[in-house]
Amino acid sequence: MAEAGGERLRSLIEAGIGVSSELTLDAVLQRIVEAAADITGARYAALGVIDRTRQRLERFVTSGLSREEHERIGELPRGRGILGVLIHDAQALRLDDLTQDPRSVGFPPNHPPMRSFLGVPIMLRGTAYGNLYLTEKDGGFSAEDQDLVTLLAAQAAVAVENARLYESATRWSRQLESLNEIGFALIGELELDKLLALVAQSLRELLAARMVVIALPTSDDRMRVEAAAGDGTEELVGWSFPRPNSKAGRVLDRGRTERVDSVIDDPEVDPISARRFGIRAGLYVPLLVRDHAIGVLAAHDKESHDGRFGDDDVRLAEQFTARAAIAVDLSERVARDSLRRVVAGQELERRRLARELHDETGQALTSILLGLKGVEEAKDAETLAEAARNLRELVVATLQDVRRLAVELRPKALDDFGLVPALERLVETFAEGTGIEVQLEARLGEERLPGEIETTLYRLIQEALTNVVKHAHATTVSILLVRRDGKVTGIVEDDGRGFDPAAARADGLGLVGMRERAGLVAGRLTIEAAAGAGTTIAVEVPVP
Ligand SMILES: Nc1ncnc2c1ncn2[C@@H]1O[C@H](COP(=O)(O)OP(=O)(O)O)[C@@H](O)[C@H]1O
Ligand SMILES: [Mg+2]
């Protein structure tokens, strides 16, 4: 017996070495089951891994059952009956005939008969990770079997722990790699809408979540869904809800990640929305930019049997969100920057108009005042008529100036009659004032363009004409507007001296402002010019 005992101990040690040489958890579990069957001589062995609810088994690895037997039994045990006893008690259990035990619930159809039974828990840091189940040993299991399996279970625990660490380390390094890839992709997207959509979609893929929603606070104390990913979530974009008392609003205020295993049981989650979208679990991560929460990412329902998120998911989501925040910050700064430049351009324009009003119109009015004096002091009819004539000319010229200024500020015709009549006026005053011949051709159809696009095109053409007077020395300018295939194209072409666009002053607000203005309506500006060959400015704007 002592000899036999020594033999068994040796094979136990060998089994321990074999088990700990495996790296993946699946392989470790399989080895443990086989080693347990080996050293006890049990016909069947199984290892059940307890799930997070601690009520059921999430994995069931077996030895001794053929594949056909497996298939005939169908679904594997989940932890009722005797298996359940071990889940709850975490104590070794040895029975001569498990079918005689009052706690037994019997076997499913096609299950091979099993009588003698030995069950031993595998403890990991004080809690039961799973159980080893052995059945059908000739003559039943002995106390020694129980000791040996208990020793094996202790070794198995270490191997399981190592394999888990190894798997989580490799998974984490894989995830870090894809996190970095995504991080780069995010930084390349500067338009906030598109960026947020990309963030939602990437996070959903990373977490294998059913849906991800991004909500940002609005100025009127609400939260608005700016992006969403997942089936059937398109309709969510644009939806808003009150910020106080909402889960997202609270996470935003607290600035801390929160994981909710069951949204129904969280009093902060609005039960109506939870039911409406059929969500069970949630992971809420604040989008922090320089320690300030600017929005909230909410992931719902991991694609697993209970939908909950784990510690790994929290870590992954936080790391990802940190990268996304950098991209969002960047995109907002770029947007602010281009807005600032547009505003700066407008200011410059206003200053010019103010100067013109002051210098030209102011001076003209002063001259008129002087002329009036001449009228008052006229000694004879002829001098009076002469003074009145001069005065009339001055008034006519001033009136023209004022009209021109008004048109430059904001042509009334643009609001009242639309782009083409407004351009006709502009072109008329331009031709009169400069002596440059202008041809205007518009093929825009009956329907008016959206107001924003009309203004943009008007301003772009106006600015292009200003450049023609200032720089081109042209004799003719032609303007063409065409609406076709969901976009409108505007072209301003002059026969002046042209210039080298690459060498043009970069500080000129004209061309830069034109490009930005076009960008604001998702349009594109192209400049075709060469010294001595005239200039063509084309803008293409999509029409929704
Ligand atoms: N139609 C044109 N013909 C010739 N040169 C032009 C024309 N439009 C622009 N340019 C050149 O491009 C430069 C930049 O234009 P812009 O950005 O409008 O600045 P600005 O008009 O204030 O100089 C001009 O200084 C000029 O040299
Ligand atoms: Mg200019």
Side-chain angles (χ1 to χ4, degrees), residues 463 467-468 470-472 494 498-499 504-505 508-512 535:
E463 182 64 35
N467 275 349
V468 171
K470 265 170 75 182
H471 313 293
D494 70 56
F499 71 108
R505 41 184 299 215
L509 277 163
L511 294 176
V512 173
T535 301

Side-chain angles (χ1 to χ4, degrees), residues 298-309:
H300 290 295
D301 295 357
K302 202 171 163 67
E303 283 165 354
S304 64
H305 77 276
D306 62 0
R308 301 170 185 212
F309 296 94

